[in-house]
Amino acid sequence: MILPFPREFAEDAAERSIADVAQARRLLVSLAPGLTAALARRRAVLAPLIGPRDAARVERTEAAVELAYARLAVRHGSWGQDFHAYHNEQHILEIFDSRIARLMQAAGLQALSLDDWLLLGLFAACHDLRQREAPMYSAGVGSNERASIEEGFRILDLAGFDRRRDAAFYTGLELMIAGSTFDARPPAQDWEYNSVDLVQSGGALASKLDAKLDKHVPGWREDPVLQHALELALVAADLDTANVAEPFARFVETGMRLCQEREMRCHRETGDPASALPVFGFLTDGQERFFFELHRFNSGLGRTAFSDAKQANAQPLKALTMALRARVAASGKPASGNAVIEAMRTLTREMEARSLR
């Protein structure tokens, strides 16, 4: 490991329940055929970069993605008992099958090497594997991210990667996941640790990784592998937060999923009256603060692929939050968080319908 951390994270029940790639693939056949199609699309796009000596490495990467997907689906997704509305297997596909494809189209396939594209796919699959670790930070890296790095390494091992032969994959994955840590300010004392609240608190560690490496890894600037891994970490952080550049209705939906996960982690049901004002605040002030004040793209490739689409969402977001505030002011305090979410969905549909006239 490159950056220090005071503890290690052992295998948990979800990891033990899907112990290898073969077991993951048996589950994926019936439960997630969409992933198989996404992997096939990615392999077809990468075909111009894949030579005879690269095929085994591509196959190892696909195996790792499959295992990570199945693990997250069991741990925090639709296959298990601890569903997270945002940090689940759908988020893997949002990055792997959509945002990386947009990056390829905007920047061109030749903008990165085959191994770089493979690493970005591994990041998509592995960066949110753990979401329930007790809060702890070292070198700016959060405990969820550190646990995800450690499990990600075990997944690479099981998929056939070798820590010596493929050292750049392990280095790249570590810095990319570490860089996805958001501002490490603690949540309010009366709330459970909640990575969604950290999304509202500041930007990704990736923009500060160089300073962390200066402190903890003297001489890293003379190491081309670490230099390149840092560059990829900046791109990965942009992919992770590019929900701000999704088509507007999809962008709004990601915000509502984040909100639903936040309420779950705060031990509130969105159907309860107690959730009404927190949901309203998250979907108005919180969304605006993140979009307009906190979020920045960190890499040139990220800006090329996503800045225009983010800018296109700026005015609609202002209009939507203003309309939601006006509706609540006119009708009084909402009955529940669900009422706020449904009002936002209705307003979004109305805006979309007007834009098509």
Side-chain angles (χ1 to χ4, degrees), residues 44-71:
V45 172
L46 290 174
L49 301 181
I50 300 173
R53 297 182 179 181
D54 301 319
R57 203 159 64 258
V58 174
E59 290 170 5
R60 288 194 292 270
T61 300
E62 291 176 351
V65 170
E66 289 170 312
L67 182 52
Y69 182 101
R71 292 257 185 91

mmCIF file of all heavy atoms in Angstrom, residues 44-71:
data_model
loop_
_atom_site.group_PDB
_atom_site.id
_atom_site.type_symbol
_atom_site.label_atom_id
_atom_site.label_comp_id
_atom_site.label_asym_id
_atom_site.label_seq_id
_atom_site.Cartn_x
_atom_site.Cartn_y
_atom_site.Cartn_z
ATOM 1 N N ALA A 44 -15.704 -4.465 -27.418
ATOM 2 C CA ALA A 44 -15.805 -4.106 -28.839
ATOM 3 C C ALA A 44 -15.210 -2.728 -29.082
ATOM 4 O O ALA A 44 -14.508 -2.515 -30.087
ATOM 5 C CB ALA A 44 -17.264 -4.146 -29.279
ATOM 6 N N VAL A 45 -15.475 -1.791 -28.195
ATOM 7 C CA VAL A 45 -14.927 -0.441 -28.367
ATOM 8 C C VAL A 45 -13.412 -0.453 -28.240
ATOM 9 O O VAL A 45 -12.694 0.248 -28.971
ATOM 10 C CB VAL A 45 -15.548 0.526 -27.336
ATOM 11 C CG1 VAL A 45 -14.854 1.876 -27.371
ATOM 12 C CG2 VAL A 45 -17.033 0.707 -27.614
ATOM 13 N N LEU A 46 -12.887 -1.252 -27.307
ATOM 14 C CA LEU A 46 -11.443 -1.306 -27.070
ATOM 15 C C LEU A 46 -10.701 -2.152 -28.101
ATOM 16 O O LEU A 46 -9.458 -2.151 -28.104
ATOM 17 C CB LEU A 46 -11.154 -1.864 -25.674
ATOM 18 C CG LEU A 46 -11.517 -0.978 -24.484
ATOM 19 C CD1 LEU A 46 -11.294 -1.741 -23.175
ATOM 20 C CD2 LEU A 46 -10.703 0.312 -24.484
ATOM 21 N N ALA A 47 -11.417 -2.836 -28.966
ATOM 22 C CA ALA A 47 -10.787 -3.785 -29.904
ATOM 23 C C ALA A 47 -9.593 -3.203 -30.659
ATOM 24 O O ALA A 47 -8.574 -3.891 -30.825
ATOM 25 C CB ALA A 47 -11.831 -4.327 -30.881
ATOM 26 N N PRO A 48 -9.648 -1.931 -31.126
ATOM 27 C CA PRO A 48 -8.478 -1.398 -31.851
ATOM 28 C C PRO A 48 -7.211 -1.321 -31.002
ATOM 29 O O PRO A 48 -6.107 -1.256 -31.555
ATOM 30 C CB PRO A 48 -8.942 0.014 -32.263
ATOM 31 C CG PRO A 48 -10.429 -0.059 -32.289
ATOM 32 C CD PRO A 48 -10.792 -0.982 -31.187
ATOM 33 N N LEU A 49 -7.357 -1.339 -29.677
ATOM 34 C CA LEU A 49 -6.185 -1.252 -28.802
ATOM 35 C C LEU A 49 -5.702 -2.613 -28.320
ATOM 36 O O LEU A 49 -4.624 -2.707 -27.709
ATOM 37 C CB LEU A 49 -6.512 -0.389 -27.564
ATOM 38 C CG LEU A 49 -6.945 1.054 -27.799
ATOM 39 C CD1 LEU A 49 -7.200 1.739 -26.461
ATOM 40 C CD2 LEU A 49 -5.893 1.820 -28.599
ATOM 41 N N ILE A 50 -6.482 -3.663 -28.578
ATOM 42 C CA ILE A 50 -6.176 -4.980 -28.015
ATOM 43 C C ILE A 50 -5.362 -5.803 -28.997
ATOM 44 O O ILE A 50 -5.840 -6.169 -30.076
ATOM 45 C CB ILE A 50 -7.475 -5.722 -27.640
ATOM 46 C CG1 ILE A 50 -8.280 -4.920 -26.604
ATOM 47 C CG2 ILE A 50 -7.155 -7.106 -27.085
ATOM 48 C CD1 ILE A 50 -9.646 -5.506 -26.308
ATOM 49 N N GLY A 51 -4.118 -6.082 -28.616
ATOM 50 C CA GLY A 51 -3.256 -6.938 -29.422
ATOM 51 C C GLY A 51 -3.268 -8.358 -28.896
ATOM 52 O O GLY A 51 -3.888 -8.659 -27.872
ATOM 53 N N PRO A 52 -2.559 -9.264 -29.573
ATOM 54 C CA PRO A 52 -2.544 -10.669 -29.161
ATOM 55 C C PRO A 52 -2.077 -10.873 -27.724
ATOM 56 O O PRO A 52 -2.547 -11.788 -27.035
ATOM 57 C CB PRO A 52 -1.578 -11.315 -30.161
ATOM 58 C CG PRO A 52 -1.604 -10.417 -31.352
ATOM 59 C CD PRO A 52 -1.792 -9.034 -30.819
ATOM 60 N N ARG A 53 -1.162 -10.032 -27.258
ATOM 61 C CA ARG A 53 -0.644 -10.193 -25.898
ATOM 62 C C ARG A 53 -1.543 -9.554 -24.842
ATOM 63 O O ARG A 53 -1.267 -9.671 -23.640
ATOM 64 C CB ARG A 53 0.755 -9.585 -25.811
ATOM 65 C CG ARG A 53 1.789 -10.281 -26.700
ATOM 66 C CD ARG A 53 3.153 -9.650 -26.513
ATOM 67 N NE ARG A 53 4.171 -10.302 -27.336
ATOM 68 C CZ ARG A 53 5.449 -9.962 -27.357
ATOM 69 N NH1 ARG A 53 5.888 -8.957 -26.597
ATOM 70 N NH2 ARG A 53 6.309 -10.613 -28.131
ATOM 71 N N ASP A 54 -2.590 -8.879 -25.266
ATOM 72 C CA ASP A 54 -3.435 -8.143 -24.330
ATOM 73 C C ASP A 54 -4.692 -8.898 -23.923
ATOM 74 O O ASP A 54 -5.342 -8.530 -22.941
ATOM 75 C CB ASP A 54 -3.871 -6.811 -24.956
ATOM 76 C CG ASP A 54 -2.693 -5.930 -25.334
ATOM 77 O OD1 ASP A 54 -1.734 -5.869 -24.540
ATOM 78 O OD2 ASP A 54 -2.745 -5.316 -26.425
ATOM 79 N N ALA A 55 -5.044 -9.937 -24.681
ATOM 80 C CA ALA A 55 -6.335 -10.591 -24.475
ATOM 81 C C ALA A 55 -6.491 -11.124 -23.054
ATOM 82 O O ALA A 55 -7.548 -10.963 -22.425
ATOM 83 C CB ALA A 55 -6.523 -11.722 -25.478
ATOM 84 N N ALA A 56 -5.441 -11.736 -22.514
ATOM 85 C CA ALA A 56 -5.541 -12.308 -21.160
ATOM 86 C C ALA A 56 -5.760 -11.214 -20.122
ATOM 87 O O ALA A 56 -6.510 -11.407 -19.154
ATOM 88 C CB ALA A 56 -4.288 -13.110 -20.842
ATOM 89 N N ARG A 57 -5.127 -10.071 -20.314
ATOM 90 C CA ARG A 57 -5.275 -8.958 -19.362
ATOM 91 C C ARG A 57 -6.701 -8.397 -19.403
ATOM 92 O O ARG A 57 -7.277 -8.049 -18.373
ATOM 93 C CB ARG A 57 -4.257 -7.867 -19.687
ATOM 94 C CG ARG A 57 -3.912 -6.969 -18.537
ATOM 95 C CD ARG A 57 -2.586 -6.264 -18.739
ATOM 96 N NE ARG A 57 -2.575 -5.357 -19.876
ATOM 97 C CZ ARG A 57 -2.019 -5.637 -21.067
ATOM 98 N NH1 ARG A 57 -1.448 -6.805 -21.282
ATOM 99 N NH2 ARG A 57 -2.040 -4.744 -22.038
ATOM 100 N N VAL A 58 -7.266 -8.318 -20.597
ATOM 101 C CA VAL A 58 -8.654 -7.876 -20.724
ATOM 102 C C VAL A 58 -9.588 -8.864 -20.030
ATOM 103 O O VAL A 58 -10.515 -8.475 -19.308
ATOM 104 C CB VAL A 58 -9.036 -7.710 -22.207
ATOM 105 C CG1 VAL A 58 -10.520 -7.404 -22.352
ATOM 106 C CG2 VAL A 58 -8.195 -6.616 -22.854
ATOM 107 N N GLU A 59 -9.335 -10.149 -20.211
ATOM 108 C CA GLU A 59 -10.170 -11.166 -19.570
ATOM 109 C C GLU A 59 -10.063 -11.098 -18.054
ATOM 110 O O GLU A 59 -11.068 -11.238 -17.340
ATOM 111 C CB GLU A 59 -9.762 -12.557 -20.071
ATOM 112 C CG GLU A 59 -10.143 -12.800 -21.527
ATOM 113 C CD GLU A 59 -9.523 -14.072 -22.091
ATOM 114 O OE1 GLU A 59 -8.866 -14.805 -21.304
ATOM 115 O OE2 GLU A 59 -9.689 -14.321 -23.297
ATOM 116 N N ARG A 60 -8.858 -10.856 -17.535
ATOM 117 C CA ARG A 60 -8.699 -10.716 -16.085
ATOM 118 C C ARG A 60 -9.477 -9.506 -15.571
ATOM 119 O O ARG A 60 -10.103 -9.560 -14.513
ATOM 120 C CB ARG A 60 -7.223 -10.583 -15.725
ATOM 121 C CG ARG A 60 -6.414 -11.851 -15.880
ATOM 122 C CD ARG A 60 -5.072 -11.746 -15.193
ATOM 123 N NE ARG A 60 -4.173 -10.781 -15.828
ATOM 124 C CZ ARG A 60 -3.316 -11.092 -16.808
ATOM 125 N NH1 ARG A 60 -3.276 -12.338 -17.288
ATOM 126 N NH2 ARG A 60 -2.524 -10.180 -17.326
ATOM 127 N N THR A 61 -9.433 -8.420 -16.330
ATOM 128 C CA THR A 61 -10.163 -7.216 -15.923
ATOM 129 C C THR A 61 -11.658 -7.477 -15.890
ATOM 130 O O THR A 61 -12.351 -7.085 -14.937
ATOM 131 C CB THR A 61 -9.851 -6.057 -16.889
ATOM 132 O OG1 THR A 61 -8.443 -5.785 -16.858
ATOM 133 C CG2 THR A 61 -10.615 -4.807 -16.496
ATOM 134 N N GLU A 62 -12.177 -8.145 -16.915
ATOM 135 C CA GLU A 62 -13.607 -8.447 -16.947
ATOM 136 C C GLU A 62 -13.999 -9.335 -15.768
ATOM 137 O O GLU A 62 -15.052 -9.134 -15.142
ATOM 138 C CB GLU A 62 -13.968 -9.113 -18.269
ATOM 139 C CG GLU A 62 -13.858 -8.169 -19.461
ATOM 140 C CD GLU A 62 -14.133 -8.859 -20.787
ATOM 141 O OE1 GLU A 62 -14.242 -10.102 -20.807
ATOM 142 O OE2 GLU A 62 -14.235 -8.146 -21.818
ATOM 143 N N ALA A 63 -13.152 -10.302 -15.442
ATOM 144 C CA ALA A 63 -13.434 -11.178 -14.304
ATOM 145 C C ALA A 63 -13.483 -10.379 -13.006
ATOM 146 O O ALA A 63 -14.364 -10.609 -12.151
ATOM 147 C CB ALA A 63 -12.367 -12.271 -14.212
ATOM 148 N N ALA A 64 -12.572 -9.431 -12.837
ATOM 149 C CA ALA A 64 -12.559 -8.604 -11.629
ATOM 150 C C ALA A 64 -13.799 -7.732 -11.545
ATOM 151 O O ALA A 64 -14.396 -7.568 -10.467
ATOM 152 C CB ALA A 64 -11.294 -7.740 -11.606
ATOM 153 N N VAL A 65 -14.215 -7.167 -12.674
ATOM 154 C CA VAL A 65 -15.426 -6.344 -12.692
ATOM 155 C C VAL A 65 -16.638 -7.194 -12.316
ATOM 156 O O VAL A 65 -17.503 -6.760 -11.527
ATOM 157 C CB VAL A 65 -15.612 -5.688 -14.077
ATOM 158 C CG1 VAL A 65 -16.991 -5.041 -14.189
ATOM 159 C CG2 VAL A 65 -14.518 -4.654 -14.323
ATOM 160 N N GLU A 66 -16.716 -8.386 -12.850
ATOM 161 C CA GLU A 66 -17.849 -9.264 -12.537
ATOM 162 C C GLU A 66 -17.891 -9.604 -11.049
ATOM 163 O O GLU A 66 -18.964 -9.575 -10.420
ATOM 164 C CB GLU A 66 -17.760 -10.541 -13.377
ATOM 165 C CG GLU A 66 -18.045 -10.307 -14.855
ATOM 166 C CD GLU A 66 -17.727 -11.523 -15.705
ATOM 167 O OE1 GLU A 66 -16.635 -12.101 -15.554
ATOM 168 O OE2 GLU A 66 -18.585 -11.893 -16.528
ATOM 169 N N LEU A 67 -16.750 -9.920 -10.467
ATOM 170 C CA LEU A 67 -16.714 -10.275 -9.054
ATOM 171 C C LEU A 67 -17.069 -9.074 -8.181
ATOM 172 O O LEU A 67 -17.855 -9.192 -7.224
ATOM 173 C CB LEU A 67 -15.338 -10.828 -8.694
ATOM 174 C CG LEU A 67 -15.128 -11.294 -7.254
ATOM 175 C CD1 LEU A 67 -16.215 -12.273 -6.814
ATOM 176 C CD2 LEU A 67 -13.740 -11.932 -7.103
ATOM 177 N N ALA A 68 -16.528 -7.909 -8.502
ATOM 178 C CA ALA A 68 -16.838 -6.707 -7.725
ATOM 179 C C ALA A 68 -18.317 -6.354 -7.829
ATOM 180 O O ALA A 68 -18.958 -5.990 -6.830
ATOM 181 C CB ALA A 68 -15.973 -5.545 -8.202
ATOM 182 N N TYR A 69 -18.871 -6.457 -9.021
ATOM 183 C CA TYR A 69 -20.297 -6.150 -9.226
ATOM 184 C C TYR A 69 -21.162 -7.058 -8.356
ATOM 185 O O TYR A 69 -22.089 -6.597 -7.668
ATOM 186 C CB TYR A 69 -20.637 -6.326 -10.701
ATOM 187 C CG TYR A 69 -22.063 -5.987 -11.079
ATOM 188 C CD1 TYR A 69 -22.374 -4.778 -11.670
ATOM 189 C CD2 TYR A 69 -23.096 -6.899 -10.858
ATOM 190 C CE1 TYR A 69 -23.684 -4.471 -12.032
ATOM 191 C CE2 TYR A 69 -24.407 -6.598 -11.205
ATOM 192 C CZ TYR A 69 -24.688 -5.384 -11.801
ATOM 193 O OH TYR A 69 -25.990 -5.083 -12.144
ATOM 194 N N ALA A 70 -20.880 -8.356 -8.393
ATOM 195 C CA ALA A 70 -21.680 -9.301 -7.617
ATOM 196 C C ALA A 70 -21.542 -9.028 -6.120
ATOM 197 O O ALA A 70 -22.534 -9.074 -5.380
ATOM 198 C CB ALA A 70 -21.254 -10.729 -7.945
ATOM 199 N N ARG A 71 -20.336 -8.723 -5.669
ATOM 200 C CA ARG A 71 -20.128 -8.438 -4.243
ATOM 201 C C ARG A 71 -20.925 -7.204 -3.814
ATOM 202 O O ARG A 71 -21.577 -7.201 -2.766
ATOM 203 C CB ARG A 71 -18.642 -8.211 -3.978
ATOM 204 C CG ARG A 71 -17.770 -9.461 -4.156
ATOM 205 C CD ARG A 71 -17.385 -10.069 -2.835
ATOM 206 N NE ARG A 71 -16.464 -11.198 -3.002
ATOM 207 C CZ ARG A 71 -15.138 -11.099 -3.001
ATOM 208 N NH1 ARG A 71 -14.564 -9.900 -2.878
ATOM 209 N NH2 ARG A 71 -14.382 -12.178 -3.115
#
